[in-house]
Amino acid sequence: MPSKPPSKPSKPSVSNTNNKKKADERPRISYWKQISSFCNDERFRFILGLLLIIVVLYTLLAFISFFFTGAADASILENQWDDQSAMRKNITNWTGILGAILANAFLDKWFGVSSFVILFAAAVLAFRLMGVKRFSLWRTFFHSAFWLIWGSIAIGFVCKPFYMDSFFRWGGGHGLGISDWLVSYVQIYGTILILLALLLIFLIFSNKSTIPFLKKTGRAILNALKRKPKQPATGEAGQETEETEKNVAVGTEIVPEEWIEEPINDETDDKEIEFQVQPAEEEKGDDEDKSHDETETDFVVETGKTDEPEEAAEGNITLEVDTPQDTEEADPYYNLKNLGKYDPTLDLSHYEFPTLDLLKTYPNENAPVIDMNEQNANKNRIITALRNYGIEIESIKATIGPTITLYEIVPRAGVRISKIRNLESDIMMSLAATGIRIIAPIPGKGTIGIEVPNENPQIVSMHSVIASKKFQEESKYQLPVALGRTITNEVFMFDLAKTPHLLVAGATGQGKSVGLNAIITSLLYKKHPSELKLVLVDPKMVEFNIYAALEKHYMAKMPDEDNVIITDSTKVIQTLNSLVIEMENRYKLLMEAHCRNIVEYNEKFINRQLNPEKGHRYLPYIVIVIDEFGDFIMVAGKEVEMPISRITQKARAVGMHMILATQRPSSNIITGIIKANVPSRIAFRVDSSLNSRIILDATGAEQLVGRGDLLYSGGNDVVRVQCAFVDTPEVEEIVHHISKQQAYPSAYELPEYVPGENDGTPMPGSVDLSKRDPLFTDVARFVVAQQQGSTSVIQRHFQIGYNRAGRITDQLEAAGIVSGNNGSKGRQVLVQDDFTLTQILEGLL
């Protein structure tokens, strides 16, 4: 049978042409993303750092060689440029002609010997790229730039008289030129003062202890100037006075035995403690002589209130009050005075939060559009509908929101509220509305509310919510979430840390995914990567995949896990159990620190009252978001429900909060255990009042109009909110803004979960030595050589994370190299020599 001839191709439409253009543009965008991804790849950064280290070593060798060969090479570089082959042959620098040119340029023409600072800064950048050690790039640049410029000028100024005997300028051409310019204007002493002033200003900005040191030095100088010798009195008394003045030292507690101490007056200032030293009487009775031996001195001290003072302002004796530490033994080196407050954001000190221009704006996004014809028509229909059933009202007023208008009515005396509540369907029919909700009565008011959808609803943009004064100035919430706007057009916010867990449910396509994106976006706009970590579970594989680029900023995952977004049910079970272990570990830290919650613990850690050498660490908040957890309940059942229940029962105090979302609000998914432990709920539109009761324990969600219309229950009251709309391109822009910035070397590492053989629970101490860490052998030899096996020592020496060091310690314990954990006593090294260790390691192969 002959085939049908092909039909004549139709002329492409305008829309097809536009789609073709868009398709042509897409590869370009993907190419740029691939380039950006390649540049952020750990391997690329390591290679780049390795090449930079080679350049640094080469330049360093050239600089060192310059001091020995620079004099001979200088004349060659000046006179033999025309003959390149002869110049290369005669150059004596250890690194050849290129090294000679570099050394001559930096050390003679430019910055002199302070050019070594450039090599230091380049080495720091290289180590940072390679992940060998984390340095603050801004701090390194600030220090290097100052010492490079200031050092060049200072060396050029000091060493100028010796230039006649030197083959190069020690401060370089830059240092010599600027120092000569300064001397021409302010002479030698003025130049010295300028250099000292610049040095002091730099030290004040770079070191917190500079100002206290300067104050202490200034006070010592002033006290030394104030100590003027008194005129000696006639006779023996005068000689005694002169001698005793020599024995009194400012700021000490050493006084001769002939002196006693008495208060200056009875009324001492609240902030000062003053002491006066007066000579004793020349003649003492026998009883007095017996009560005072040659080495003891009596002091009589009266003070005012001493709650605040740390030292006497004018007295001769200084009192210092040390801040008590909560540890059993205060560490003299790890304290607030020496180190200052701990800054958890220091590693990413230049992190820039997402800007408002990344979010879309819509017309009239801050004020609702009022249609008076619609409002009057609805008012009249409500009055008529109630009157038809014999209900008269005294007053009615409307509050217009972005998508809903609230009509508040005051019925006449004698009207039963239940009668109005039963007319919900009749009023909805008279208004021809998609769904109304009657609140009878409105809590805190003597009115009845009727919520009616607007004919032309407005979009509540994420921009209007994030840019609001309420969100921008909020500082009391630990995890602030800006969800949307209420009926009164006010920004609705809540603190996820106080929620403390959240259930989000609704039918398909009613705005649940947009609501989750709004919650995550709010947190990204408020919390620094050091303060917040996310665990995202997405069985659909497409909802949270957009956040994968935030892996090294905001994400948390198990060790050796490839995908930061969890999609497989088996991985979900492992991750949830890993989070349970993390929760238990955090509770141990809180118990050791004598803290009740994460806020108190982190405050102590910031104030240097908890020593990381003893296992303490700064704890970021962890927010676990599980989209469509009903799928995992259906597949895994109790294996998923039990760790969820444990986390929701206990994890609030240690800063771990869970958000559960589902489009199946049925009793076999939202079980009684989950409902009991998740008090806060968000209900989008559902199909029946039964589903509404399962979510909220109340009806009303079935009357919502969809498209982000939701009910929030954080306790007794239920609030209707129009969820803020954040589109996928907006989220992409936010993620791109964050991902292109400096990041941590890896994602936040959760504890390793080792499932049991039968019960599916972790078995303490069960370690598979066939999967040893690559550093296991090196760590074992280090531990035996140093006879120290603590996790913190391994972490510091090998520059690895705490969790990885802990796993290696467990492997050492399983191999019999170190003992089990003995609490505060630490682990004991069981192997005493390298020969025994070698036999153990060979037995593991």
Side-chain angles (χ1 to χ4, degrees), residues 513 517 537-548 565-567 627 728 731-732:
S513 297
N517 285 331
V537 180
D538 179 19
K540 300 178 184 177
M541 304 184 188
V542 294
E543 293 295 344
F544 292 150
N545 187 55
I546 193 172
Y547 297 104
I565 308 298
I566 305 162
T567 58
D627 190 16
T728 301
V731 179
E732 288 179 343

Short mmCIF file of all heavy atoms in Angstrom, two decimals, residues 513 517 537-548 565-567 627 728 731-732:
data_model
loop_
_atom_site.label_atom_id
_atom_site.label_comp_id
_atom_site.label_asym_id
_atom_site.label_seq_id
_atom_site.Cartn_x
_atom_site.Cartn_y
_atom_site.Cartn_z
N SER A 513 4.38 23.81 47.07
CA SER A 513 5.78 23.93 46.68
C SER A 513 6.25 25.37 46.73
O SER A 513 7.37 25.67 47.15
CB SER A 513 6.00 23.35 45.28
OG SER A 513 5.71 21.96 45.26
N ASN A 517 9.27 27.04 49.03
CA ASN A 517 10.30 27.94 48.48
C ASN A 517 10.30 29.28 49.20
O ASN A 517 11.37 29.88 49.40
CB ASN A 517 10.07 28.15 46.98
CG ASN A 517 10.48 26.95 46.15
OD1 ASN A 517 11.38 26.21 46.52
ND2 ASN A 517 9.83 26.75 45.03
N VAL A 537 14.93 16.89 51.32
CA VAL A 537 14.51 15.56 50.86
C VAL A 537 13.42 15.75 49.82
O VAL A 537 12.39 16.39 50.09
CB VAL A 537 13.99 14.71 52.04
CG1 VAL A 537 13.56 13.34 51.55
CG2 VAL A 537 15.07 14.58 53.12
N ASP A 538 13.62 15.20 48.64
CA ASP A 538 12.72 15.48 47.52
C ASP A 538 12.49 14.20 46.70
O ASP A 538 13.27 13.88 45.81
CB ASP A 538 13.34 16.57 46.64
CG ASP A 538 12.47 16.89 45.43
OD1 ASP A 538 11.28 16.55 45.44
OD2 ASP A 538 13.00 17.48 44.46
N PRO A 539 11.44 13.46 46.99
CA PRO A 539 11.18 12.24 46.20
C PRO A 539 10.79 12.53 44.75
O PRO A 539 10.95 11.67 43.89
CB PRO A 539 10.03 11.57 46.96
CG PRO A 539 9.35 12.68 47.68
CD PRO A 539 10.43 13.67 48.02
N LYS A 540 10.29 13.75 44.47
CA LYS A 540 9.93 14.10 43.09
C LYS A 540 11.16 14.38 42.23
O LYS A 540 11.07 14.42 41.01
CB LYS A 540 9.02 15.33 43.09
CG LYS A 540 7.72 15.15 43.85
CD LYS A 540 6.92 16.44 43.84
CE LYS A 540 5.67 16.34 44.68
NZ LYS A 540 4.94 17.62 44.72
N MET A 541 12.29 14.64 42.87
CA MET A 541 13.58 14.87 42.20
C MET A 541 13.66 16.20 41.45
O MET A 541 14.68 16.47 40.81
CB MET A 541 13.92 13.74 41.24
CG MET A 541 13.93 12.35 41.86
SD MET A 541 14.44 11.10 40.68
CE MET A 541 14.13 9.61 41.62
N VAL A 542 12.62 17.00 41.46
CA VAL A 542 12.65 18.25 40.69
C VAL A 542 12.35 19.47 41.53
O VAL A 542 12.65 20.59 41.11
CB VAL A 542 11.65 18.18 39.51
CG1 VAL A 542 12.07 17.14 38.50
CG2 VAL A 542 10.22 17.90 40.01
N GLU A 543 11.78 19.32 42.71
CA GLU A 543 11.37 20.48 43.49
C GLU A 543 12.56 21.20 44.11
O GLU A 543 12.65 22.42 44.06
CB GLU A 543 10.39 20.04 44.60
CG GLU A 543 9.06 19.52 44.09
CD GLU A 543 8.25 20.59 43.40
OE1 GLU A 543 8.55 21.79 43.56
OE2 GLU A 543 7.31 20.23 42.67
N PHE A 544 13.49 20.46 44.71
CA PHE A 544 14.60 21.06 45.44
C PHE A 544 15.93 20.97 44.70
O PHE A 544 16.95 21.40 45.22
CB PHE A 544 14.76 20.39 46.81
CG PHE A 544 13.61 20.66 47.75
CD1 PHE A 544 13.26 19.73 48.71
CD2 PHE A 544 12.89 21.83 47.66
CE1 PHE A 544 12.21 19.97 49.58
CE2 PHE A 544 11.84 22.08 48.52
CZ PHE A 544 11.50 21.16 49.47
N ASN A 545 15.91 20.39 43.52
CA ASN A 545 17.17 20.23 42.79
C ASN A 545 17.84 21.58 42.50
O ASN A 545 19.06 21.66 42.35
CB ASN A 545 16.91 19.50 41.47
CG ASN A 545 18.18 19.15 40.74
OD1 ASN A 545 19.06 18.50 41.29
ND2 ASN A 545 18.30 19.60 39.50
N ILE A 546 17.05 22.63 42.47
CA ILE A 546 17.57 23.97 42.18
C ILE A 546 18.52 24.46 43.28
O ILE A 546 19.38 25.31 43.05
CB ILE A 546 16.39 24.95 42.01
CG1 ILE A 546 16.86 26.26 41.39
CG2 ILE A 546 15.68 25.18 43.32
CD1 ILE A 546 15.73 27.17 41.02
N TYR A 547 18.38 23.90 44.50
CA TYR A 547 19.22 24.33 45.62
C TYR A 547 20.52 23.54 45.73
O TYR A 547 21.30 23.78 46.65
CB TYR A 547 18.45 24.18 46.94
CG TYR A 547 17.22 25.06 47.02
CD1 TYR A 547 15.95 24.51 46.87
CD2 TYR A 547 17.34 26.42 47.27
CE1 TYR A 547 14.81 25.31 46.95
CE2 TYR A 547 16.20 27.22 47.35
CZ TYR A 547 14.95 26.66 47.18
OH TYR A 547 13.84 27.46 47.27
N ALA A 548 20.77 22.62 44.81
CA ALA A 548 21.97 21.78 44.91
C ALA A 548 23.25 22.60 44.84
O ALA A 548 24.28 22.21 45.40
CB ALA A 548 21.95 20.72 43.81
N ILE A 565 20.89 16.62 47.55
CA ILE A 565 19.43 16.54 47.60
C ILE A 565 19.06 15.07 47.65
O ILE A 565 19.37 14.30 46.74
CB ILE A 565 18.79 17.23 46.38
CG1 ILE A 565 19.33 18.65 46.22
CG2 ILE A 565 17.27 17.25 46.52
CD1 ILE A 565 19.04 19.56 47.38
N ILE A 566 18.36 14.66 48.69
CA ILE A 566 18.09 13.25 48.93
C ILE A 566 16.79 12.87 48.23
O ILE A 566 15.74 13.52 48.44
CB ILE A 566 17.99 12.96 50.43
CG1 ILE A 566 19.26 13.45 51.12
CG2 ILE A 566 17.79 11.49 50.69
CD1 ILE A 566 19.12 13.62 52.59
N THR A 567 16.83 11.84 47.41
CA THR A 567 15.66 11.42 46.65
C THR A 567 15.29 9.96 46.88
O THR A 567 14.15 9.57 46.63
CB THR A 567 15.91 11.64 45.15
OG1 THR A 567 17.08 10.90 44.75
CG2 THR A 567 16.14 13.12 44.85
N ASP A 627 9.80 17.06 51.42
CA ASP A 627 8.65 17.24 50.53
C ASP A 627 8.03 15.88 50.23
O ASP A 627 8.73 14.92 49.90
CB ASP A 627 9.10 17.93 49.24
CG ASP A 627 7.92 18.35 48.38
OD1 ASP A 627 6.79 18.40 48.92
OD2 ASP A 627 8.12 18.62 47.19
N THR A 728 10.40 30.25 39.97
CA THR A 728 11.64 29.50 39.79
C THR A 728 12.80 30.36 39.31
O THR A 728 13.92 30.24 39.83
CB THR A 728 11.41 28.33 38.81
OG1 THR A 728 10.39 27.47 39.33
CG2 THR A 728 12.68 27.52 38.62
N VAL A 731 14.31 32.09 42.30
CA VAL A 731 15.12 31.20 43.13
C VAL A 731 16.46 30.92 42.46
O VAL A 731 17.51 30.87 43.12
CB VAL A 731 14.36 29.88 43.40
CG1 VAL A 731 15.22 28.93 44.24
CG2 VAL A 731 13.04 30.15 44.09
N GLU A 732 16.45 30.76 41.14
CA GLU A 732 17.71 30.54 40.42
C GLU A 732 18.66 31.71 40.59
O GLU A 732 19.87 31.52 40.77
CB GLU A 732 17.42 30.30 38.93
CG GLU A 732 16.78 28.95 38.63
CD GLU A 732 16.48 28.78 37.15
OE1 GLU A 732 16.46 29.80 36.44
OE2 GLU A 732 16.27 27.64 36.72
#
